[in-house]
């Protein structure tokens, strides 16, 4: 007799199957674990996860059978999908009038004699395929085994839906990466284009104040000073923004061995500190292995902040290095500065987030330095956190993967 293989909602079902974009590889551990469990729980040697498409049935996982595809018109999984039964069972095909002349029942030791399949039904009631168990001799399932097979079929559907979500996430990630790259390029180009006009503004105000000082009253000079100050602040902001984007990938490559204390001494020389300050280096010097340029930029940012946000007569900065851990080096930069309020400590590593209106020199922060630090620390395989009290100072501790 001719067996039905076409469900009532076939057109919508086929669209649903295609929407999940499953690949045909049978090396997915999660799917293979389910067919292993299905065979184990039912004591039946073969188990398949089938996907029923328009003209063929293919198998995402196959336990106990060397099979990849089957003709849809002949597949028992296709019959299960077209059936209204919650579990499609044929205990002995050789005695069932529907299957007496079926070619799969006349295949010697590889004949399909017993079949039990539970449909893979998604949240929209589309039958995508089946989780089935197959034997080459007559068999049966008790109620507990049927329930187990149904539960496993639900897990297969969850895996299929998770696969679809992961595909969407990867697509979204690719789009965001592309847009982020375009945004970085735009920000970098705009910043570069703004640097020359700003430099001209600063130079022009200097010329005006120098050459025409006698012809401009005090109020006019104050206006020029304000223009210069604002231009310098904007120029500094642009330089920091460029640094953030240009150094975003720094630290992922080019690791080298170097003296930590020597690096610190070079950083201190670069800073050219003009305030009363004591910087205490680690008592013992160690060679560490990481990206030198990235670590230098991290320390420059942290020590600069310790200098800028300090209201004490003498700024004290303690720097420690702990190399005792097998996987990470830990570096701490501690100061006696103004401190950071507890409610603001979680925000300081976000781009453009600032704690204070101005620093000790009257300059406004732009909230770029610490976000750069966090990105660089992450590139070095580590994490950073802060411990701080208002009026007592701040301690920044970060790790670097060895």
């Amino acid at each position: 007799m001719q067996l039905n293989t076409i469900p009532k909602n076939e057109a919508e079902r086929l669209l649903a199957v295609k929407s999940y974009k499953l690949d045909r590889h049978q090396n997915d551990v999660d799917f293979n674990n389910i067919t292993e469990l299905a065979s184990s729980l039912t004591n039946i040697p073969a188990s398949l996860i089938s996907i029923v498409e328009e003209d063929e049935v293919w198998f995402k996982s196959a336990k106990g059978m060397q099979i990849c595809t089957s003709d849809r018109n002949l597949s028992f999984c296709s019959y299960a999908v077209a059936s209204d039964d919650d579990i499609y069972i044929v205990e002995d095909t050789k005695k069932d009038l529907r299957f007496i002349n079926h070619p799969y029942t006349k295949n010697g030791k590889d004949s399909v004699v017993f079949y039990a399949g539970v449909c893979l039904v998604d949240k929209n009631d589309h039958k995508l395929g089946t989780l089935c168990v197959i034997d080459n001799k007559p068999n049966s399932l008790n109620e507990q085994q049927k329930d187990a097979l149904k539960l496993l079929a639900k897990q297969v559907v969850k895996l299929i839906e998770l696969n679809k979500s992961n595909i969407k996430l990867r697509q979204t990630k690719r789009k965001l990466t592309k847009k982020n790259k375009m945004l970085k390029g735009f920000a970098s180009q705009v910043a570069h284009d703004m640097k020359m006009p700003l430099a001209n503004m600063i130079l022009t105000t200097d010329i005006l104040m120098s050459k025409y000082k006698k012809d401009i009253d005090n109020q006019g000079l104050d206006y020029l000073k304000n223009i210069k100050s604002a231009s310098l602040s904007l120029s500094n902001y642009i330089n920091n923004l460029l640094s953030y984007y240009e150094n975003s990938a720094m630290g992922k490559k080019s690791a080298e061995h170097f003296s930590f204390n020597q690096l610190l001494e070079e950083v201190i020389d670069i800073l050219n500190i003009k305030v009363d300050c004591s910087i205490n280096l680690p008592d013992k010097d160690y060679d560490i292995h990481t990206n030198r340029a990235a670590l230098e930029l991290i320390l420059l940012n942290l020590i600069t902040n310790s200098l800028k946000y300090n209201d004490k007569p003498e700024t004290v900065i303690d720097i420690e290095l702990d190399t005792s851990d097998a996987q990470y080096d830990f570096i701490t930069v501690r100061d006696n500065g103004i401190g950071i309020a507890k409610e603001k400590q979680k925000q300081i590593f976000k781009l453009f987030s600032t704690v204070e209106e101005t620093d000790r020199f009257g300059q406004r922060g732009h909230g770029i330095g610490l976000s750069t630090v966090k990105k660089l620390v992450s590139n070095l395989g580590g994490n950073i956190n802060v411990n701080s009290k208002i009026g007592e100072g701040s301690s920044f501790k970060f790790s670097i993967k060895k």
Side-chain angles (χ1 to χ4, degrees):
M1 64 179 292
Q2 183 68 36
L3 291 161
N4 182 32
T5 62
I6 308 298
K8 296 174 183 177
N9 63 342
E10 178 66 357
E12 294 86 353
R13 190 195 70 80
L14 287 173
L15 287 173
V17 170
K18 290 178 181 178
S19 73
Y20 287 101
K21 298 180 181 179
L22 280 167
D23 64 64
R24 297 197 175 201
H25 298 300
Q26 292 185 352
N27 55 359
D28 193 304
V29 174
D30 293 323
F31 287 97
N32 291 341
N33 284 342
I34 289 180
T35 49
E36 286 280 350
L37 273 172
S39 285
S40 176
L41 291 170
T42 59
N43 294 316
I44 293 175
S47 177
L48 305 171
I49 293 173
S50 71
I51 303 297
V52 179
E53 293 201 348
E54 187 171 7
D55 297 315
E56 68 172 346
V57 177
W58 60 272
F59 303 99
K60 180 63 180 171
S61 178
K63 155 71 177 172
M65 294 180 72
Q66 297 294 322
I67 186 170
C68 295
T69 63
S70 173
D71 187 316
R72 177 169 176 178
N73 291 325
L74 299 176
S75 172
F76 283 80
C77 296
S78 186
Y79 308 148
V81 166
S83 170
D84 292 328
D85 299 334
D86 58 348
I87 179 168
Y88 188 79
I89 298 178
V90 184
E91 293 186 345
D92 188 349
T93 58
K94 295 183 181 298
K95 293 182 179 179
D96 192 314
L97 293 177
R98 297 172 297 173
F99 302 102
I100 288 177
N101 295 315
H102 196 288
Y104 288 178
T105 67
K106 300 177 179 181
N107 202 20
K109 62 183 180 62
D110 296 322
S111 297
V112 176
V113 179
F114 172 83
Y115 176 90
V118 178
C119 287
L120 307 175
V121 184
D122 71 5
K123 59 186 177 183
N124 295 316
D125 243 10
H126 298 125
K127 296 179 179 179
L128 310 176
T130 70
L131 170 66
C132 64
V133 288
I134 295 172
D135 204 346
N136 58 5
K137 64 180 187 297
N139 214 321
S140 63
L141 297 179
N142 58 39
E143 291 304 314
Q144 188 176 5
Q145 290 171 324
K146 291 177 184 178
D147 290 341
L149 210 57
K150 292 174 186 178
L151 286 173
L152 289 175
K154 290 180 180 179
Q155 293 304 310
V156 175
V157 173
K158 286 183 178 180
L159 284 176
I160 291 172
E161 291 175 342
L162 180 62
N163 177 77
K164 185 177 182 178
S165 297
N166 287 338
I167 290 172
K168 287 183 178 179
L169 284 173
R170 287 194 291 269
Q171 290 173 341
T172 303
K173 184 180 178 181
R174 284 195 293 270
K175 290 178 182 177
L176 288 174
T177 300
K178 184 178 179 180
K179 288 182 178 179
N180 192 40
K181 188 176 180 180
M182 292 172 63
L183 182 60
K184 284 182 178 181
F186 173 76
S188 180
Q189 186 63 50
V190 169
H192 277 294
D193 290 347
M194 289 177 67
K195 288 182 75 174
M196 185 57 70
L198 279 170
N200 288 335
M201 288 174 63
I202 294 167
L203 181 61
T204 301
T205 52
D206 282 338
I207 292 172
L208 287 170
M209 285 189 291
S210 175
K211 192 172 181 179
Y212 300 100
K213 186 175 182 179
K214 294 179 180 179
D215 301 320
I216 304 173
D217 60 17
N218 289 335
Q219 188 176 18
L221 288 173
D222 286 340
Y223 287 149
L224 289 174
K225 288 176 183 177
N226 287 338
I227 292 172
K228 181 178 178 180
S229 177
S231 299
L232 286 170
S233 179
L234 184 55
S235 178
N236 184 46
Y237 174 77
I238 290 170
N239 287 332
N240 287 335
L241 194 61
L242 285 171
S243 176
Y244 177 81
Y245 286 124
E246 289 169 358
N247 296 312
S248 61
M250 185 188 291
K252 293 184 177 180
K253 295 180 181 179
S254 305
E256 57 183 296
H257 284 284
F258 56 90
S259 160
F260 181 66
N261 280 17
Q262 183 180 338
L263 174 66
L264 285 173
E265 290 169 1
E266 292 176 11
V267 168
I268 293 167
D269 287 341
I270 292 170
L271 289 170
N272 191 24
I273 300 169
K274 301 295 185 183
V275 299
D276 191 4
C277 176
S278 296
I279 299 181
N280 301 310
L281 277 57
D283 294 332
K284 186 176 180 181
D285 189 17
Y286 290 96
D287 278 353
I288 61 175
H289 184 248
T290 190
N291 183 288
R292 196 179 196 279
L295 182 56
E296 179 179 309
L297 192 54
I298 291 168
L299 293 168
L300 274 169
N301 274 285
L302 292 178
I303 296 173
T304 297
N305 280 355
S306 293
L307 293 166
K308 287 165 61 177
Y309 298 101
N310 199 300
D311 56 356
K312 308 299 188 299
E314 181 188 13
T315 298
V316 179
I317 302 172
D318 298 313
I319 302 172
E320 299 171 359
L321 171 64
D322 181 1
T323 63
S324 61
D325 189 83
Q327 293 185 313
Y328 295 91
D329 290 324
F330 292 92
I331 298 170
T332 304
V333 178
R334 185 183 300 107
D335 63 53
N336 65 336
I338 60 176
I340 304 167
K342 189 173 183 180
E343 64 271 15
K344 294 183 178 180
Q345 291 176 18
K346 291 182 179 180
Q347 306 296 320
I348 59 174
F349 296 108
K350 293 182 178 180
L351 188 61
F352 307 127
S353 175
T354 58
V355 176
E356 295 295 322
E357 288 295 321
T358 58
D359 60 25
R360 71 191 298 174
F361 306 110
Q363 299 296 316
R364 184 181 178 86
H366 300 119
I368 299 175
L370 285 178
S371 60
T372 301
V373 166
K374 183 173 177 61
K375 186 180 286 287
L376 290 170
V377 169
S378 178
N379 289 348
L380 295 177
N383 292 299
I384 185 168
N385 58 69
V386 61
N387 186 12
S388 182
K389 288 185 178 180
I390 293 292
E392 295 183 15
S394 302
S395 176
F396 288 86
K397 185 174 183 178
F398 63 95
S399 56
I400 297 173
K401 191 171 180 62
K402 290 185 177 181

